[in-house]
Amino acid sequence: MALTREHFSLNTLQWITVGLGDATGEPGEVGWEFDLSTFLPKQPRILDQVREAGYGGVMLEVLPTQTLQSYARVVADSGLRLSPGYVHIGLPEEFGRDHSGDREAHFRWFDGIRRRAEETLFMGLDRVFLAADMAPGRPRIDVAAAVGHEFDRDRLDRVANIIGEASEVLTAEGVTPALHNHVGTWIETEAEYDHVLQAVPSSLLAAGPDIGHLAWTGVDVVAWVAAHAGRISDLHVKDMDLGIAAASRATHTPYFDVMGQRFFLEPGLGDVPIAEALAQLPGDFAGDVIIEVDKPSMEPFESAKASWAWIAENYPEAS
């Protein structure tokens, strides 16, 4: 079965990365509104616009300011189906924690993973994207993005171990994790992504790539998807200006300085061979393809509509 429009859903990043207030497009400008109580009344209107843009699905994102029951009502009212959400896990030592000899502290390190499993199952899903954490102050954010800056094999092995433990927690709850790469994290480059996939058995961990972030690091995403197609459960796609990506790799550039340019683009407006990469998925692919525009090149609702127009142009309705 080839991909149809019903495989696609939207992450609502368009509405939350334009900044807290009006965006001016200045380099480095970014804002996240999910954590604020003022975002609660906006959520239903945003989901209505997702549906009006053409989408039948949206990525699961329970706000920290709402209960599961409240979120379920908002989603039900929108008429949208949900696609897998996202959870990340960090290394304890990078947060000033030493779990050696403290089994209780190490167990509690995965509380957020267990909560995301609970949210996923409550909302009727059984898959989630799993990533290394991304926090300001890290060298791949503040110094050099997309080049594997300050690579350390021992640290990568520790990341693989904690991803493996998180995968065990999720699978024990009946949720399949899919490893998600992201520029700015310790799983950034193709070699790092493949290393973790090789370190954690496929029985515990699927692949859930962001092909835009892979392309940012210079990866041939068509070849990568073809090589990993059998392990991919779901994926994120985005477009971008690969000229800016190449320039950011040639000269060390902080993450948000790249993001502050007209870098992230709606599908079809940039250089990432999205359709060619998706064509490498198995014919019976049953996962979700989540459109994600990390920072829109136009007003959020227009961005969502432009993204759907690309889907409608390239993929048929389900028969």
Side-chain angles (χ1 to χ4, degrees), residues 109-120:
W109 191 247
F110 298 92
D111 281 353
I113 299 293
R114 283 183 279 272
R115 293 292 75 77
R116 187 55 59 137
E118 180 181 42
E119 293 173 2
T120 298

Side-chain angles (χ1 to χ4, degrees), residues 121-273:
L121 294 168
F122 184 88
M123 298 307 301
L125 297 174
D126 61 2
R127 307 182 315 280
V128 68
F129 291 95
L130 173 62
D133 80 302
M134 179 180 174
R138 304 290 172 77
R140 293 185 177 183
I141 297 176
D142 290 357
V143 179
V147 293
H149 186 56
E150 293 194 4
F151 173 79
D152 182 291
R153 174 59 185 269
D154 290 340
R155 181 182 57 225
L156 182 60
D157 285 338
R158 295 196 302 276
V159 170
N161 286 339
I162 208 151
I163 290 288
E165 290 183 80
S167 297
E168 290 174 347
V169 171
L170 289 163
T171 55
E173 297 294 333
V175 176
T176 298
L179 183 65
H180 194 66
N181 60 295
H182 204 290
V183 169
T185 73
W186 299 129
I187 306 175
E188 179 178 73
T189 67
E190 180 179 22
E192 290 165 346
Y193 195 3
D194 288 351
H195 178 83
V196 178
L197 285 176
Q198 291 164 11
V200 183
S202 58
S203 57
L204 284 177
L205 184 65
D210 184 312
I211 62 173
H213 278 268
L214 280 174
W216 186 355
T217 66
V219 172
D220 179 342
V221 295
V222 177
W224 194 94
V225 173
H228 298 80
R231 194 165 176 176
I232 295 173
S233 64
D234 304 276
L235 64 171
H236 286 189
V237 300
K238 58 173 56 69
D239 216 340
M240 57 183 58
D241 184 326
L242 292 184
I244 294 176
S248 75
R249 296 194 305 272
T251 302
H252 283 182
T253 308
Y255 185 97
F256 289 120
D257 285 359
V258 182
M259 188 172 181
Q261 302 176 63
R262 193 174 183 273
F263 175 57
F264 292 113
L265 298 167
E266 290 70 21
L269 299 185
D271 309 307
V272 179

